[in-house]
Amino acid sequence: MGLQVEFCGEWYDLDEANPFQIGREGDLEVDENPYLHRRFLTINHHDGLWWLENVGSRLSATVSDGEGNVQAWLAPGARLPLVFAHTTVLFTAGPTTYELGIVGDEPTFTSAVNEHTEVGETTIGPVTFTESQKLLILSLAEPVLRGRGSTASIPTSADAAKRLGWSITRFNRKLDNVCEKLSRHGVRGLRGGQQQLAVNRRARLVEHSVASRLVVAADLELLEKNAEEAAAAAAEEAAKAEQQTETASVD
């Protein structure tokens, strides 16, 4: 099975005889990002299969098939076989999230087509999200969805809350609820110590949501609609305040 790696529009042909190194240095030099391992991922061919291995010590990667039906969290020291026609890999180093594709011409497995839900509540497996919870996910995933196949920065909680017109308290409460809901259904990387939650869970949530197709680029219309409604509500409140001021002046 021949294999190619695609990153930011550039394609790399892999040789079964030579491991393919991905990181700050290697066959695929992702970025000079100091948070990224010098050697992070390796693709090897042995036992008749291609394998993706995390050779880093701190970072993890989210790996899924092309349709988002099968997903794995590749922790340091872990490896998995590349058996699909198209595999998507997302990982975050510091403030930046990266996405690369791995394409094989003779897949071992073929996944079923995943139908994306377009209505008010979104279900992934047994997990159901309200519209406001989906908006929260979209506010964090927006840069990745708009720049699929490239690099993107995950917004801070404050920036995402501002994008939605929410208070930071409301945003953090919703974020807690979404992460807890996914954690209860087996999504790894959304729980841990307080420092880990603050630093990593937004990125992990984005990786999982994009890789599993919980949110797609077409859903960004919901963000624009929410922004328009928030702007209209703010204008209405401003008009009311101005009217009250004028009434008080007359009195």
Side-chain angles (χ1 to χ4, degrees), residues 101-114:
I102 304 173
V103 180
D105 55 15
E106 297 178 10
T108 305
F109 295 105
T110 302
S111 57
V113 175
N114 181 35

Side-chain angles (χ1 to χ4, degrees), residues 157 172 175-176 179-180 183 189-205:
S157 293
N172 285 333
L175 180 60
D176 288 340
C179 290
E180 178 64 25
S183 295
L190 296 174
R191 281 179 172 169
Q194 289 301 313
Q195 184 177 4
Q196 180 181 354
L197 285 176
V199 174
N200 296 333
R201 68 172 178 173
R202 292 195 310 277
R204 172 58 181 145
L205 176 60

Side-chain angles (χ1 to χ4, degrees), residues 78-99:
R79 67 171 185 162
L80 53 81
L82 297 168
V83 295
F84 297 107
H86 188 282
T87 302
T88 299
V89 182
L90 289 136
F91 55 93
T92 302
T96 307
T97 296
Y98 305 90
E99 179 180 356

Side-chain angles (χ1 to χ4, degrees), residues 33 64 125 129 134 204 226 251:
N33 185 342
S64 74
F129 293 99
K134 187 170 182 179
R204 172 58 181 145
N226 178 76
D251 293 342

Side-chain angles (χ1 to χ4, degrees), residues 172-241:
N172 285 333
R173 183 174 66 250
K174 293 279 186 183
L175 180 60
D176 288 340
N177 293 339
V178 169
C179 290
E180 178 64 25
K181 186 177 290 189
L182 286 170
S183 295
R184 287 199 306 268
H185 289 88
V187 179
R188 299 175 60 191
L190 296 174
R191 281 179 172 169
Q194 289 301 313
Q195 184 177 4
Q196 180 181 354
L197 285 176
V199 174
N200 296 333
R201 68 172 178 173
R202 292 195 310 277
R204 172 58 181 145
L205 176 60
V206 169
E207 290 176 14
H208 171 78
S209 300
V210 172
S212 64
R213 305 301 188 267
L214 175 57
V215 291
V216 296
D219 293 327
L220 293 173
E221 293 180 3
L222 294 175
L223 273 182
E224 300 305 329
K225 179 182 176 182
N226 178 76
E228 291 172 1
E229 292 174 349
E236 184 177 352
E237 288 297 321
K240 286 181 180 179

Side-chain angles (χ1 to χ4, degrees), residues 113-193:
V113 175
N114 181 35
E115 294 186 3
H116 182 66
T117 305
E118 299 289 351
V119 294
E121 291 191 339
T122 299
T123 302
I124 176 169
V127 188
T128 301
F129 293 99
T130 64
E131 183 174 333
S132 62
Q133 289 173 334
K134 187 170 182 179
L135 280 170
L136 178 141
I137 296 171
L138 284 168
S139 71
L140 293 172
E142 182 178 15
V144 175
L145 292 174
R146 292 197 186 280
R148 289 306 304 268
S150 58
T151 64
S153 296
I154 304 298
T156 65
S157 293
D159 287 341
K162 183 178 180 181
R163 176 77 166 103
L164 294 170
W166 295 357
S167 69
I168 189 65
T169 300
R170 181 187 182 192
F171 181 91
N172 285 333
R173 183 174 66 250
K174 293 279 186 183
L175 180 60
D176 288 340
N177 293 339
V178 169
C179 290
E180 178 64 25
K181 186 177 290 189
L182 286 170
S183 295
R184 287 199 306 268
H185 289 88
V187 179
R188 299 175 60 191
L190 296 174
R191 281 179 172 169

